[in-house]
Amino acid sequence: MLRSLGTEKGILGQIFTKSQNKIQDPAKLLKVIDMIGKEQWTMVGADIKGDIYEGLLEKNAADTKSGAGQYFTPRALIKAMVACLDPQPMKSVHDPSCGTGGFFLAAYDHIIRNHDLDRDQKVFLKNKTFSGNEIVAGTRRLCLMNMFLHNIGEIDGNTFISPNDALIADEGFRVDYVLANPPFGKKSSMTITNEEGDQERQDLSYNRQDFWASTSNKQLNFLQHIRTLLKVNG
């Protein structure tokens, strides 16, 4: 079942890519299936399913041993940033290091709460507003699942979360808003080469003509990348 789901088209296939059953104890597996089987999932609204999943992610992030906290920006901080930015309908929102998708969900809720959307605006919000990058496969899976459970995107539609390293290249598209909490530190495997050809390390390098500083500092590189992503009035 897991293998066949992994070959499906669209977001569904992406969620189940390389998935595996790690429950070795048959009795535990039976109990889990039994518990899931008792719920009437089709009767549960998207907001409740989404909240349940968000709660699980938060609980997982609080377990410091799992190291998941680095992919889970505190929701209070996200909400404050979204409130300051006040995203509007029919505008694009991007996160180049999106983790489990917290900024997308907060922006989605903010737009729905503060605007009476017409049909076109609803379609745009569901399918064309959000895009991002997440290079950690497991976290990207959680993000896609999170989006789907919050009614963003179509299960057989294109995935809007790229598995590529956002810093490698300017892919050419421009967005209205960037909401992000980029990775900190200098542990980047690559170093920037800017227009003048300055370079700090010889191994791998991002060759970005749009960057103004050569550095291995991740925050600054993300800041340079974010400036490139924004439209003129972004």
Side-chain angles (χ1 to χ4, degrees):
M1 171 70 86
L2 289 174
R3 266 200 298 274
S4 73
L5 283 169
T7 62
E8 292 286 329
K9 287 195 178 94
I11 292 174
L12 184 65
Q14 296 286 321
I15 287 171
F16 284 98
T17 300
K18 294 184 182 171
S19 56
Q20 49 191 319
N21 170 25
K22 287 189 175 175
I23 301 176
Q24 264 87 35
D25 181 347
K28 276 194 192 125
L29 181 60
L30 181 64
K31 193 175 177 189
V32 169
I33 292 169
D34 208 34
M35 283 164 68
I36 293 170
K38 279 180 186 155
E39 296 296 331
Q40 294 293 318
W41 296 105
T42 48
M43 309 294 286
V44 179
D47 48 349
I48 296 172
K49 278 189 281 206
D51 287 346
I52 292 168
Y53 198 70
E54 271 281 277
L56 288 171
L57 290 175
E58 194 158 8
K59 215 168 175 184
N60 188 29
D63 176 12
T64 47
K65 287 198 285 288
S66 74
Q70 63 178 307
Y71 310 118
F72 193 92
T73 305
R75 292 323 189 218
L77 174 61
I78 287 177
K79 281 177 184 165
M81 287 171 69
V82 169
C84 290
L85 200 64
D86 187 24
Q88 300 297 307
M90 305 296 278
K91 303 267 189 183
S92 49
V93 177
H94 186 82
D95 184 349
S97 52
C98 64
T100 55
F103 281 108
F104 299 144
L105 302 182
Y108 180 86
D109 289 343
H110 180 89
I111 291 168
I112 280 183
R113 206 169 44 245
N114 292 291
H115 300 277
D116 193 11
L117 302 178
D118 63 28
R119 187 173 172 278
D120 289 346
Q121 288 172 328
K122 282 178 183 169
V123 170
F124 189 92
L125 181 62
K126 184 177 170 73
N127 295 319
K128 294 183 180 170
T129 299
F130 304 104
S131 63
N133 296 65
E134 178 50 58
I135 58 174
V136 180
T139 309
R140 179 172 174 266
R141 188 198 308 277
L142 294 175
C143 181
L144 289 169
M145 189 77 178
N146 210 5
M147 302 281 96
F148 171 64
L149 287 174
H150 282 87
N151 202 29
I152 300 171
E154 302 289 353
I155 197 67
D156 54 355
N158 293 332
T159 167
F160 36 79
I161 310 298
S162 166
N164 301 332
D165 183 345
L167 296 178
I168 283 180
D170 170 17
E171 291 183 18
F173 65 90
R174 299 293 178 261
V175 297
D176 296 293
Y177 305 108
V178 174
L179 274 158
N181 175 18
F184 280 67
K186 292 195 171 190
K187 286 195 300 186
S188 185
S189 59
M190 301 190 178
T191 303
I192 297 303
T193 305
N194 72 2
E195 224 165 347
E196 282 72 47
D198 301 334
Q199 197 171 11
E200 286 186 17
R201 278 218 319 267
Q202 290 302 312
D203 45 355
L204 287 162
S205 67
Y206 296 119
N207 190 8
R208 294 283 298 261
Q209 305 301 312
D210 53 319
F211 283 10
W212 65 87
S214 280
T215 178
S216 59
N217 182 298
K218 264 191 184 171
Q219 298 97 289
L220 181 51
N221 285 335
F222 267 101
L223 196 63
Q224 296 185 93
H225 177 61
I226 286 165
R227 188 206 65 155
T228 293
L229 284 169
L230 289 170
K231 291 179 181 175
V232 174
N233 296 317

